[in-house]
Amino acid sequence: MSIGNSPEDERPFEDVSDVSEEARPSVGTALRQARIAAGLTVDDVSTATRVRIAIVHAIEADNFAPCGGDVYARGHIRTLAKAVHVDPAPLLAQYDAAHGGRPAPPPAAPLFEAERIRPERRGPNWTAAMVAAIVVVVGFVGFTAFKGGSGDGDGKTQVAEGSTATTSAPAKPTPKSSKPADQKPAPSDSAIAAAPQDKVTVQVSAANGRSWISAKDHNGRMLFDGLLKKGESKTFQDSTKINLILGDAGAIQLYVNGKKIEDQFQPGAVERLTYTKGDPQVG
């Protein structure tokens, strides 16, 4: 009687890695299963991550087109994975393998570090500056008129009879008094320089390149959701506030209520911003 391997032991070795690879769920399916296991709804995940409900649904269906590119898709996958308590690294590797590898990182800081909501920035108090400038101009004109009238014993006669000479003196500071007012609206925001004070007006210009943008009013109603090509601009207005999402904030130039926003947005950074009719102010 010989002792050896049974026929079952001589069967070809089955590659376990191939089986596990085929059995592994897709990125969207894995995120959806983890969300359900965590007892969360799509609304819960959207509220926690600030990722729009439509994009959450699309990602769970393995449709990454609404993300706007591989860089944004990877950022959303990482954000959603953390929200449903799973390790994002295997999901990102699986996504990269299916979409031609990991994209080259930009030279700036990590893109989705700005995914958190930024506090509302307050700019200079232009109203107070304008009032101060007007007071200075009025005082200067009054002083000039008083000085011109005091050269004669009869000030009234000097004004009436010498109007040509008298008015020529205060005419010089008139262009100076207009400089503070002229500096307020830049040439690029002349279209919204006369924005009404009882509303919030936001102009978004793709000055440095194209960017996906989303804008909502204070009721959450979508005003615009799409790609803004280089050189294009959109203007939004609401009675209370405008909520913005900028897909590539470095390509965007913002004007709020006729004032240019001087934030140093990084190229490729996703920014979520909210502006009211009182912005920009010193905060």
Side-chain angles (χ1 to χ4, degrees):
M1 177 177 180
S2 63
I3 299 175
N5 293 332
S6 65
E8 289 81 359
D9 296 331
E10 297 177 356
R11 290 177 300 177
F13 177 74
E14 186 176 22
D15 192 345
V16 178
S17 62
D18 292 343
V19 175
S20 60
E21 185 70 23
E22 295 176 358
R24 183 170 61 178
S26 65
V27 174
T29 301
L31 289 173
R32 179 172 55 83
Q33 291 174 349
R35 173 180 59 77
I36 295 173
L40 300 173
T41 65
V42 173
D43 288 342
D44 295 334
V45 173
S46 176
T47 301
T49 62
R50 303 291 183 175
V51 177
R52 291 186 293 117
I53 293 176
I55 293 182
V56 176
H57 279 300
I59 291 176
E60 289 189 354
D62 292 310
N63 177 15
F64 300 99
C67 297
D70 289 339
V71 175
Y72 303 126
R74 295 181 86 260
H76 288 320
I77 291 172
R78 182 183 296 109
T79 301
L80 296 181
K82 292 179 180 179
V84 297
H85 314 299
V86 297
D87 184 7
L91 297 177
L92 291 173
Q94 185 177 354
Y95 176 86
D96 292 341
H99 293 81
R102 182 175 181 177
L111 299 181
F112 287 86
E113 187 176 292
E115 190 66 31
R116 63 184 182 275
I117 293 183
R118 295 167 55 88
E120 296 182 9
R121 294 177 179 263
R122 301 293 185 178
N125 191 338
W126 292 103
T127 303
M130 286 300 302
V131 171
I134 292 174
V135 170
V136 172
V137 172
V138 171
F140 180 78
V141 173
F143 173 77
T144 304
F146 174 78
K147 184 177 180 181
S150 61
D152 196 328
D154 188 358
K156 295 182 180 179
T157 305
Q158 176 71 16
V159 173
E161 297 178 355
S163 58
T164 303
T166 303
T167 55
S168 62
K172 293 181 180 179
T174 302
K176 296 181 181 179
S177 65
S178 64
K179 287 184 179 180
D182 293 341
Q183 292 173 354
K184 181 174 68 172
S188 56
D189 66 333
S190 58
I192 58 171
Q197 295 182 357
D198 60 340
K199 296 181 182 295
V200 54
T201 303
V202 177
Q203 185 188 65
V204 183
S205 298
N208 302 318
R210 67 177 187 173
S211 173
W212 169 84
I213 67 170
S214 172
K216 294 182 180 180
D217 62 12
H218 72 282
N219 290 321
R221 183 173 63 89
M222 185 67 68
L223 301 177
F224 181 80
D225 183 14
L227 185 66
L228 202 63
K229 297 180 180 179
K230 183 176 181 180
E232 293 182 343
S233 64
K234 292 285 184 181
T235 301
F236 310 107
Q237 194 173 80
D238 186 66
S239 60
T240 305
K241 67 179 181 179
I242 297 292
N243 296 312
L244 290 178
I245 302 177
L246 308 179
D248 184 355
I252 294 300
Q253 200 171 66
L254 288 178
Y255 296 87
V256 178
N257 298 323
K259 311 297 189 307
K260 182 179 180 180
I261 302 301
E262 299 293 347
D263 283 5
Q264 298 298 322
F265 296 133
Q266 295 295 331
V270 176
E271 294 287 343
R272 298 174 179 275
L273 307 167
T274 299
Y275 293 107
T276 65
K277 59 186 177 183
D279 289 329
Q281 296 177 354
V282 175

